[in-house]
Amino acid sequence: MPRLRPLCRRSPLFGLALMFLAWGLLVLAGCGRSEAPAPRGDWKGRTLRIGTDGTYPPFESVKDGELVGFDIELGGLIAEELGAKVEWTNTSFDGVFPALMAGKFDLVMSAVTITPERQQRLGFSSPYYTAGQLVVTREDNLAVTGIESLRGKVAGIQINTTAALVLRKFPDIEVRQYPSIDLALQDLRNGNLAGVVGDGPTLRYFLTHGFQGLRAAGGLLTEEQYGIAMRPDDPELRAAVNGALQRLRDNGKFAALEERYFGESARKAEAAAEVPWGKVAKRLAVGLGLTLGLTLLALVSGLPLGLAVALGRRVRFKPLSWLCAAYVEGLRGTPLLVQIIFIYYALPQLLGVDLAPMVAAVLALTLNSAAYVAEIFRAGIASVDPGQEEAARALGMSRAQVMRFVVLPQAVRNVLPPLTNEGIALLKDSSLVSIIGLAELTRAGQELASQLAAPLAIWPLVALFYLMATLPLTRLASALEKRLHRQA
C-alpha cells in the first residue's frame, strides 16, 4: 500500500491530463468534420448531407444499425443522379428543421408534408409522394368509424405532425401528443384513447407489423404531399433535386422503388414472427456504450468545474462570487434540453461556432452538471465545522492550505452520496442528446420500437440496460463511502 501513495498524489494531475486529452480529441473530432458549406450548382464529387428521423417506417427506420426505407433509398438515388456522395444524419424529428436551418445538413428527407406554414420558412422540392391522414382504432370499438365519431373522445397523434392540423378543425376532440406514433398506438391498445390519427402509410405499416387488435377506421381524411425540405436561400439545390427527381421518374427507378415499398408485395409482406433478441441486445449495448461515455466525460469534466465554481462563490472578490452564483442559477434554472438546443443549433447562427454533435452534447452535459456539482460541494464545505478552519489558521496554515488539507478532504466524504445521485441523474439525462442526432440508449430503444413495432418488448429491455448501468455505480459509491469513513 505505501507504494501506491506517490500514484495517489499524482492522480489529480493525471486525471486532469486525461480530461484535457479527452476534450482535445473531442474538439479535434468536431473540427475534423466535413462541415464545409454545400456548394451551389454542380454537386459532382461533393457530399450531400441529408437529415432524417429513423423512427418512421416504411419511409425511414433503423435496421441492424443501418438506415433503411423509402426516403433513404430515394435520397441515395438522388445523390447518385447528382454525382454526389450521400451522408445521412439520424436525429429526432423535433431537431431536424433547426439543424437544417443551422447548416448541419443540406436536405431533410423524413416524410415531410408540404404545408403553407412550413413553406413560409423552408424551401421544398416538387412533391414526391402523396399520402393522407388516417384514423386507427381498436377492432372491438365499433363506435369509431372515422374522424367525426371521435368527437367528445380522446385521440392520439405524434408531436409536430400534420395530424394536429386536421384535429384543429375538431375542437371537441381532446388531443394527446406522443414523441412517436408507436407509443400513441400502444396507448390506444391500452384503452386510453378512442383513436390515433397519423400518416396513412406509416399507420398501415404498424397495423401489419405488430399492432394486432387495431384497425383503420374509414379512408384517408386528407390528401397531403411529401417534399424534400431545404433552406429557402438555395434555389440551385432545389433545381438540382427537382431535376434528379424528374430523371428518376423518367427512367422508371422511382416507380420501381415506390412499388417495392408501397405496392402489392409490400402490403402482403408478413411481419417477423419473433423479436430478434440478439440483434436488439447488441443495438442497445451500443447505445449503452455511448450513454456511459457521455456520462463519464461530462462527470469527469463537471467535477473540477463544479468545485471551482463552489470555491469561486466563497471568495471575497464579489464580482467573481456573483459571476459564479449567476452561472449556477442560470444553468439550474433552465432545462437541459434548451441548453443542448442552444449550444448545438443556436451557436452557429449567433457566434459562428459550429460544434460536432458529440462535442456539443458533452459540453452541454458538463456545464449543466457542474452547476449542480457546485452546489453539492458548497453544501459539503459548509458542513465542515468552522472551528477546524479557525484552529488550522491558528497553527499558521494559509487559507489555501486550510481548504486543501482540512476542509476539502472532509467535504468530499460528506458529498459522496449526493455526487452519486448526480452521476445517476446525469446518466439518465443524457437521453436528451438524441435531439441532436446521437443514438444513445433511449434513442436506440425508440428506433427499435418503431422498426419492430414492438414497444412493449423493447422498453422494458431499455429499462433493464439502464438498471445495469446505475446499480454498479451505486454499489461502487457506497463501498467508497464506507472506505473513506473508515479512514476518517
Side-chain angles (χ1 to χ4, degrees):
M1 288 305 291
R3 281 182 292 179
L4 293 177
R5 287 179 182 172
L7 178 61
C8 293
R9 286 173 185 160
R10 288 197 298 269
S11 60
L13 292 177
F14 184 67
L16 284 175
L18 279 180
M19 183 185 72
F20 286 126
L21 177 63
W23 270 102
L25 291 174
L26 276 174
V27 172
L28 284 175
C31 293
R33 295 178 309 144
S34 55
E35 293 294 340
R40 296 175 183 270
D42 187 10
W43 280 84
K44 288 183 180 177
R46 303 288 185 176
T47 299
L48 187 63
R49 303 168 301 167
I50 308 178
T52 192
D53 176 14
T55 62
Y56 213 64
F59 293 95
E60 44 269 328
S61 61
V62 178
K63 185 177 182 182
D64 299 336
E66 300 290 333
L67 281 168
V68 297
F70 179 79
D71 281 347
I72 307 304
E73 290 201 39
L74 181 59
L77 290 174
I78 289 173
E80 188 178 308
E81 286 291 325
L82 298 178
K85 295 176 288 185
V86 64
E87 178 182 292
W88 288 93
T89 299
N90 182 15
T91 188
S92 165
F93 196 74
D94 292 341
V96 73
F97 295 126
L100 174 68
M101 299 309 292
K104 300 293 183 182
F105 31 75
D106 307 302
L107 302 175
V108 170
M109 294 186 68
S110 196
V112 180
T113 302
I114 302 173
T115 66
E117 292 82 2
R118 287 173 177 164
Q119 284 179 311
Q120 289 179 0
R121 55 192 179 88
L122 298 173
F124 278 98
S125 69
S126 57
Y128 68 90
Y129 188 81
T130 300
Q133 296 296 308
L134 185 69
V135 175
V136 167
T137 188
R138 292 185 299 279
E139 285 182 345
D140 59 356
N141 190 355
L142 302 180
V144 176
T145 56
I147 190 71
E148 291 288 341
S149 57
L150 289 177
R151 290 180 179 274
K153 300 183 175 65
V154 184
I157 64 172
Q158 181 177 352
I159 193 169
N160 286 338
T161 60
T162 51
L165 301 179
V166 175
L167 291 175
R168 195 179 294 171
K169 302 173 184 174
F170 301 88
D172 50 350
I173 298 177
E174 182 182 344
V175 179
R176 291 183 187 172
Q177 301 195 46
Y178 296 80
S180 60
I181 198 69
D182 58 301
L183 293 180
L185 291 172
Q186 186 57 51
D187 213 16
L188 173 64
R189 289 175 73 177
N190 293 343
N192 297 319
L193 302 173
V196 168
V197 181
D199 286 4
T202 297
L203 286 180
R204 289 194 179 101
Y205 174 90
F206 281 119
L207 292 184
T208 55
H209 288 78
F211 280 95
Q212 284 79 25
L214 303 182
R215 63 177 175 84
L220 293 177
L221 305 172
T222 58
E223 182 176 300
E224 300 177 355
Q225 294 180 317
Y226 292 169
I228 302 171
M230 60 196 79
R231 287 183 294 281
D233 59 350
D234 202 347
E236 291 86 358
L237 178 57
R238 184 187 307 176
V241 170
N242 285 339
L245 280 173
Q246 188 58 51
R247 290 193 293 276
L248 290 172
R249 288 192 174 95
D250 293 342
N251 60 26
K253 290 183 178 179
F254 188 93
L257 182 64
E258 201 171 31
E259 172 63 25
R260 190 157 76 251
Y261 278 93
F262 306 110
E264 190 66 25
S265 58
R267 284 193 288 270
K268 291 180 179 178
E270 295 183 0
E274 296 181 354
V275 175
W277 292 110
K279 293 180 179 178
V280 168
K282 184 178 178 182
R283 179 71 186 88
L284 292 181
V286 173
L288 177 61
L290 180 56
T291 293
L292 292 175
L294 286 169
T295 304
L296 183 63
L297 278 172
L299 202 56
V300 169
S301 305
L303 283 173
L305 179 59
L307 178 58
V309 172
L311 295 176
R313 295 194 66 176
R314 292 174 55 87
V315 299
R316 295 177 179 175
F317 184 56
K318 289 301 180 186
L320 178 58
S321 175
W322 292 336
L323 182 64
C324 292
Y327 170 83
V328 171
E329 297 304 326
L331 270 294
R332 290 201 314 168
T334 53
L336 175 57
L337 181 62
V338 175
Q339 295 162 17
I340 295 170
I341 291 173
F342 180 82
I343 290 174
Y344 187 67
Y345 296 122
L347 283 186
Q349 302 283 324
L350 298 176
L351 303 176
V353 179
D354 188 9
L355 299 174
M358 188 70 178
V359 178
V362 174
L363 180 61
L365 292 172
T366 296
L367 294 177
N368 183 272
S369 174
Y372 289 91
V373 169
E375 287 302 276
I376 292 172
F377 274 123
R378 195 164 72 94
I381 292 171
S383 68
V384 178
D385 186 356
Q388 297 189 33
E389 184 175 351
E390 294 171 1
R393 290 283 291 167
L395 291 175
M397 298 177 72
S398 66
R399 288 184 178 276
Q401 289 175 322
V402 171
M403 183 58 67
R404 179 181 176 186
F405 296 111
V406 178
V407 177
L408 278 183
Q410 298 179 74
V412 168
R413 279 197 296 271
N414 294 339
V415 302
L416 270 180
L419 280 181
T420 305
N421 291 334
E422 171 59 23
I424 294 172
L426 185 63
L427 187 144
K428 292 183 286 189
D429 287 346
S430 65
S431 64
L432 295 175
V433 303
S434 65
I435 198 168
I436 60 174
L438 292 178
E440 41 66 55
L441 181 54
T442 300
R443 173 70 181 181
Q446 190 178 24
E447 291 173 355
L448 286 168
S450 298
Q451 194 259 321
L452 299 172
L456 280 186
I458 300 301
W459 289 114
L461 200 57
V462 172
L464 180 62
F465 270 69
Y466 270 113
L467 199 59
M468 288 165 53
T470 56
L471 272 181
L473 182 62
T474 306
R475 298 301 177 193
L476 176 64
S478 177
L480 186 60
E481 183 184 359
K482 290 178 181 176
R483 180 178 177 182
L484 290 175
H485 277 293
R486 281 198 303 268
Q487 293 176 348

